[in-house]
Amino acid sequence: GENVEQHPSTLSVQEGDSAVIKCTYSDSASNYFPWYKQELGKRPQLIIDIRSNVGEKKDQRIAVTLNKTAKHFSLHITETQPEDSAVYFCASGGFSSGGSNYKLTFGKGTLLTVNP
Amino acid sequence: EAEVAQSPRYKITEKSQAVAFWCDPISGHATLYWYRQILGQGPELLVQFQDESVVDDSQLPKDRFSAERLKGVDSTLKIQPAELGDSAMYLCASSSSGGGEQDTGELFFGEGSRLTVL
């Protein structure tokens, strides 16, 4: 099955700095790569995603890059703010065996702390 | 805004007891997932339903775990008997079906059910 490795496990930055979280995946058939943000005690929520026919996607201060050849993708957060502090999960997926919908495998998460 | 509903939010039980969790997905979402999240780790898929059918339960410990979605809407996850290692957050998620270009693939998670086994 798919294996997703996420680094670093913890990341501490000063407010205004950039943060980068990296993930690698094993299944070359994976074609969907979302990032979820989970604040303490709350549900994971999608913040950005990218499909395999795109190399980069940006949404305001957040960007994701994908290198399918190397099987890795990264989350970039610029001008970090204290409210960006949370656990971030990458995931990798493709159609499930039933061919009906995406099956996602998650990384172990990165605890991002933005210090004021 | 529609949300995935889960209950109970918290459950404390003794080992060897039975526990059950309930999930009501976003209306119209054909795909429903149960994930287990151990503290400090990412969600791990236990079972995935497409309507009332199981499409993936390869990681479900079938000797003690069972899941059903009888009418293709809400779902129940049961553990019997519970073991100490089952202590975790059980997350339900749903998504729209199809996988086509219009399908975002986004999973919408519920608040989760936190299980503590003593």
Side-chain angles (χ1 to χ4, degrees), chain B residues 11 13-22 34-36 46 60-68 76-91 113-117:
Chain B
K11 178 70 177 178
T13 190
E14 295 185 343
K15 64 180 181 178
S16 80
Q17 296 298 304
V19 295
F21 304 111
W22 176 81
W34 283 102
Y35 281 88
R36 177 171 59 188
L46 292 175
L60 188 71
K62 299 181 186 61
D63 57 334
R64 298 185 300 107
F65 286 65
S66 64
E68 60 183 18
T76 303
L77 177 70
K78 297 180 180 177
I79 308 174
Q80 183 173 15
E83 295 181 353
L84 295 177
D86 296 332
S87 294
M89 176 74 83
Y90 290 84
L91 291 164
S113 294
R114 181 166 296 283
L115 173 66
T116 302
V117 182

Coordinates of all heavy atoms in Angstrom, one line a residue, chain B residues 11 13-22 34-36 46 60-68 76-91 113-117:
Chain B
K11 N -15.8 9.0 25.1 CA -16.2 7.8 25.6 C -15.1 7.2 26.5 O -14.0 7.0 26.0 CB -16.6 6.8 24.5 CG -17.1 5.4 25.0 CD -18.4 5.5 25.7 CE -18.9 4.1 26.1 NZ -20.2 4.2 26.9
T13 N -14.3 3.8 28.7 CA -14.8 2.4 28.9 C -13.7 1.6 29.5 O -12.5 1.9 29.5 CB -15.3 1.8 27.7 OG1 -16.0 0.6 28.0 CG2 -14.2 1.5 26.7
E14 N -14.1 0.5 30.1 CA -13.1 -0.5 30.6 C -12.8 -1.5 29.5 O -13.7 -1.8 28.7 CB -13.6 -1.1 31.9 CG -13.8 -0.2 33.0 CD -14.2 -0.9 34.3 OE1 -14.7 -2.0 34.3 OE2 -14.1 -0.2 35.4
K15 N -11.6 -2.0 29.6 CA -11.3 -3.1 28.6 C -12.2 -4.2 28.7 O -12.8 -4.5 29.8 CB -9.8 -3.5 28.8 CG -9.5 -4.2 30.0 CD -8.0 -4.6 30.1 CE -7.7 -5.4 31.4 NZ -6.3 -5.8 31.4
S16 N -12.5 -4.9 27.6 CA -13.4 -6.0 27.4 C -14.8 -5.5 27.2 O -15.7 -6.4 26.9 CB -13.3 -7.0 28.5 OG -14.0 -6.6 29.6
Q17 N -15.1 -4.3 27.4 CA -16.5 -3.8 27.1 C -16.7 -3.5 25.7 O -15.7 -3.4 24.9 CB -16.7 -2.5 28.0 CG -16.7 -2.7 29.5 CD -17.8 -3.7 29.9 OE1 -19.0 -3.5 29.6 NE2 -17.4 -4.8 30.6
A18 N -17.9 -3.3 25.3 CA -18.3 -3.0 23.9 C -18.5 -1.5 23.8 O -19.1 -0.9 24.7 CB -19.5 -3.7 23.5
V19 N -18.1 -0.9 22.7 CA -18.3 0.5 22.4 C -18.8 0.7 21.0 O -18.5 -0.1 20.1 CB -17.1 1.4 22.6 CG1 -16.7 1.4 24.1 CG2 -16.0 1.0 21.7
A20 N -19.6 1.8 20.8 CA -20.1 2.1 19.5 C -20.0 3.5 19.2 O -20.3 4.4 20.1 CB -21.5 1.5 19.3
F21 N -19.7 3.9 18.0 CA -19.6 5.3 17.5 C -20.6 5.4 16.3 O -20.7 4.6 15.5 CB -18.2 5.7 17.2 CG -17.2 5.4 18.2 CD1 -16.2 4.4 18.1 CD2 -17.2 6.2 19.4 CE1 -15.3 4.2 19.1 CE2 -16.3 5.9 20.4 CZ -15.4 4.9 20.3
W22 N -21.2 6.6 16.3 CA -22.1 6.9 15.2 C -21.7 8.1 14.4 O -21.1 9.0 14.9 CB -23.5 7.2 15.8 CG -24.5 7.6 14.8 CD1 -25.3 6.8 14.0 CD2 -25.0 8.9 14.6 NE1 -26.2 7.5 13.3 CE2 -26.0 8.8 13.6 CE3 -24.7 10.2 15.1 CZ2 -26.7 9.9 13.1 CZ3 -25.3 11.3 14.6 CH2 -26.3 11.2 13.6
W34 N -14.1 5.9 8.0 CA -13.7 5.9 9.4 C -12.2 5.8 9.5 O -11.6 4.9 8.9 CB -14.3 4.7 10.1 CG -15.8 4.8 10.5 CD1 -16.8 4.2 9.8 CD2 -16.4 5.5 11.5 NE1 -18.0 4.5 10.4 CE2 -17.8 5.3 11.5 CE3 -15.8 6.3 12.6 CZ2 -18.6 5.8 12.4 CZ3 -16.7 6.8 13.5 CH2 -18.1 6.6 13.4
Y35 N -11.7 6.8 10.2 CA -10.2 6.9 10.5 C -10.0 6.8 12.0 O -10.8 7.2 12.8 CB -9.6 8.2 10.0 CG -9.4 8.3 8.5 CD1 -10.4 8.7 7.6 CD2 -8.1 8.0 8.0 CE1 -10.1 8.9 6.3 CE2 -7.9 8.1 6.6 CZ -8.9 8.5 5.8 OH -8.6 8.6 4.4
R36 N -8.8 6.2 12.3 CA -8.4 6.2 13.7 C -7.1 7.1 13.8 O -6.2 7.0 13.0 CB -8.1 4.8 14.2 CG -7.5 4.7 15.6 CD -7.4 3.3 16.1 NE -6.5 2.5 15.2 CZ -6.4 1.1 15.4 NH1 -7.1 0.5 16.3 NH2 -5.6 0.4 14.6
L46 N -9.6 3.1 8.6 CA -10.1 1.8 9.0 C -11.0 1.1 8.0 O -10.9 0.0 7.7 CB -10.8 1.9 10.4 CG -10.0 2.3 11.6 CD1 -10.9 2.6 12.8 CD2 -9.0 1.3 11.9
L60 N -8.9 -2.8 9.0 CA -9.9 -2.9 10.1 C -9.6 -4.2 10.8 O -9.6 -5.3 10.2 CB -11.3 -2.9 9.5 CG -12.4 -2.9 10.5 CD1 -12.5 -1.5 11.2 CD2 -13.8 -3.2 9.9
P61 N -9.3 -4.2 12.1 CA -9.1 -5.4 12.9 C -10.4 -6.1 13.0 O -11.2 -5.9 14.0 CB -8.5 -4.9 14.2 CG -8.1 -3.5 14.0 CD -9.1 -3.0 12.9
K62 N -10.7 -7.0 12.1 CA -12.0 -7.6 12.0 C -12.4 -8.6 13.2 O -13.6 -8.9 13.3 CB -12.2 -8.3 10.7 CG -12.0 -7.4 9.5 CD -12.2 -8.1 8.2 CE -11.8 -7.2 7.0 NZ -10.4 -6.7 7.0
D63 N -11.4 -9.0 14.0 CA -11.7 -9.8 15.1 C -12.5 -9.0 16.2 O -13.2 -9.6 17.0 CB -10.5 -10.5 15.7 CG -9.4 -9.4 16.1 OD1 -9.4 -8.3 15.5 OD2 -8.6 -9.7 17.0
R64 N -12.3 -7.7 16.2 CA -13.0 -7.0 17.3 C -13.7 -5.7 16.7 O -14.6 -5.2 17.4 CB -11.9 -6.5 18.3 CG -11.2 -7.6 19.0 CD -10.3 -7.1 20.1 NE -9.3 -6.2 19.5 CZ -9.3 -4.9 19.7 NH1 -10.2 -4.3 20.4 NH2 -8.3 -4.2 19.2
F65 N -13.4 -5.3 15.5 CA -14.1 -4.1 15.0 C -15.1 -4.5 13.9 O -14.8 -5.4 13.1 CB -13.0 -3.2 14.3 CG -12.2 -2.4 15.3 CD1 -11.3 -3.1 16.1 CD2 -12.2 -1.0 15.3 CE1 -10.5 -2.3 17.0 CE2 -11.4 -0.3 16.1 CZ -10.5 -1.0 17.0
S66 N -16.2 -3.8 13.9 CA -17.1 -4.0 12.8 C -17.7 -2.6 12.4 O -17.8 -1.7 13.2 CB -18.3 -4.9 13.2 OG -19.0 -4.4 14.3
A67 N -18.1 -2.4 11.2 CA -18.7 -1.2 10.7 C -19.8 -1.5 9.8 O -19.8 -2.5 9.0 CB -17.6 -0.3 10.0
E68 N -20.8 -0.7 9.8 CA -22.0 -0.9 8.9 C -22.5 0.5 8.5 O -22.4 1.5 9.2 CB -23.0 -1.7 9.5 CG -23.6 -1.2 10.8 CD -24.7 -2.2 11.4 OE1 -24.6 -3.4 11.0 OE2 -25.5 -1.8 12.2
T76 N -22.2 3.2 11.7 CA -21.8 2.8 13.1 C -20.6 2.0 13.0 O -20.4 1.1 12.2 CB -22.9 2.0 13.8 OG1 -24.2 2.8 13.8 CG2 -22.5 1.7 15.2
L77 N -19.6 2.4 13.9 CA -18.4 1.6 14.1 C -18.4 1.0 15.5 O -18.7 1.8 16.5 CB -17.2 2.6 14.0 CG -15.8 1.9 14.2 CD1 -15.4 1.0 13.1 CD2 -14.7 3.0 14.4
K78 N -18.2 -0.3 15.6 CA -18.3 -1.0 16.9 C -17.0 -1.6 17.2 O -16.3 -2.1 16.3 CB -19.4 -2.0 16.9 CG -20.8 -1.4 16.7 CD -21.9 -2.5 16.7 CE -23.3 -1.9 16.5 NZ -24.3 -2.9 16.4
I79 N -16.7 -1.6 18.5 CA -15.5 -2.3 19.0 C -16.0 -3.3 20.1 O -16.6 -2.8 21.1 CB -14.4 -1.4 19.5 CG1 -14.1 -0.3 18.5 CG2 -13.2 -2.2 19.9 CD1 -13.2 0.8 19.1
Q80 N -15.7 -4.5 20.0 CA -16.0 -5.5 21.0 C -15.1 -6.7 20.9 O -15.1 -7.4 19.9 CB -17.5 -5.9 20.8 CG -18.0 -6.9 21.9 CD -19.4 -7.2 21.9 OE1 -20.1 -6.9 20.8 NE2 -20.0 -7.7 22.9
P81 N -14.3 -7.0 22.0 CA -14.2 -6.2 23.2 C -13.1 -5.1 23.0 O -12.2 -5.3 22.2 CB -13.7 -7.2 24.2 CG -12.9 -8.2 23.4 CD -13.6 -8.2 22.0
A82 N -13.2 -4.0 23.7 CA -12.3 -2.9 23.6 C -11.0 -3.4 24.4 O -11.0 -4.1 25.4 CB -12.8 -1.7 24.2
E83 N -9.8 -2.9 23.8 CA -8.5 -3.2 24.4 C -7.9 -1.8 24.7 O -8.2 -0.8 24.1 CB -7.7 -4.0 23.5 CG -8.2 -5.4 23.2 CD -7.3 -6.3 22.3 OE1 -6.3 -5.7 21.8 OE2 -7.6 -7.5 22.2
L84 N -6.9 -1.9 25.6 CA -6.2 -0.7 26.0 C -5.6 0.1 24.8 O -5.7 1.3 24.7 CB -5.0 -1.0 27.0 CG -5.5 -1.6 28.3 CD1 -4.2 -1.9 29.1 CD2 -6.3 -0.6 29.1
G85 N -5.1 -0.7 23.8 CA -4.5 -0.1 22.6 C -5.5 0.6 21.7 O -5.1 1.2 20.7
D86 N -6.8 0.5 22.0 CA -7.8 1.1 21.1 C -8.0 2.6 21.5 O -8.8 3.3 20.8 CB -9.1 0.3 21.2 CG -9.1 -1.1 20.7 OD1 -8.2 -1.4 19.8 OD2 -9.8 -1.9 21.2
S87 N -7.4 3.0 22.6 CA -7.6 4.4 23.0 C -7.1 5.3 21.9 O -5.9 5.2 21.5 CB -6.8 4.7 24.3 OG -7.4 4.0 25.3
A88 N -7.9 6.2 21.3 CA -7.6 7.0 20.2 C -8.8 7.9 19.9 O -9.8 7.8 20.5 CB -7.3 6.1 19.0
M89 N -8.6 8.8 18.9 CA -9.7 9.5 18.3 C -10.2 8.8 17.1 O -9.4 8.4 16.2 CB -9.2 10.9 17.9 CG -10.2 11.8 17.2 SD -11.5 12.4 18.4 CE -10.6 13.8 19.1
Y90 N -11.5 8.6 17.0 CA -12.1 8.0 15.9 C -12.8 9.0 15.0 O -13.8 9.6 15.5 CB -13.0 6.8 16.3 CG -12.2 5.7 16.9 CD1 -11.8 5.7 18.2 CD2 -11.8 4.6 16.1 CE1 -11.0 4.7 18.7 CE2 -11.0 3.6 16.6 CZ -10.6 3.6 17.9 OH -9.9 2.6 18.4
L91 N -12.3 9.3 13.9 CA -12.7 10.3 13.0 C -13.6 9.7 11.8 O -13.1 8.8 11.2 CB -11.6 11.1 12.4 CG -10.7 12.0 13.3 CD1 -9.4 12.4 12.6 CD2 -11.5 13.2 13.7
S113 N -14.7 11.1 17.8 CA -15.1 10.5 19.1 C -13.8 10.1 19.8 O -13.1 9.2 19.2 CB -16.0 9.3 18.8 OG -17.2 9.7 18.3
R114 N -13.5 10.7 20.9 CA -12.3 10.3 21.6 C -12.6 9.1 22.6 O -13.4 9.3 23.5 CB -11.7 11.5 22.4 CG -10.4 11.1 23.1 CD -9.6 12.3 23.6 NE -9.1 13.1 22.6 CZ -8.1 12.9 21.8 NH1 -7.4 11.7 22.0 NH2 -7.7 13.7 20.9
L115 N -11.9 8.0 22.4 CA -12.1 6.8 23.2 C -10.9 6.7 24.2 O -9.8 6.7 23.7 CB -12.2 5.6 22.3 CG -12.3 4.2 23.0 CD1 -13.5 4.1 23.9 CD2 -12.2 3.1 22.1
T116 N -11.2 6.4 25.4 CA -10.3 6.1 26.4 C -10.6 4.7 27.0 O -11.8 4.6 27.5 CB -10.2 7.1 27.5 OG1 -9.8 8.4 27.0 CG2 -9.1 6.7 28.6
V117 N -9.7 3.8 26.9 CA -10.0 2.4 27.4 C -9.1 2.3 28.7 O -7.9 2.4 28.6 CB -9.7 1.3 26.4 CG1 -10.0 0.0 27.0 CG2 -10.5 1.6 25.1

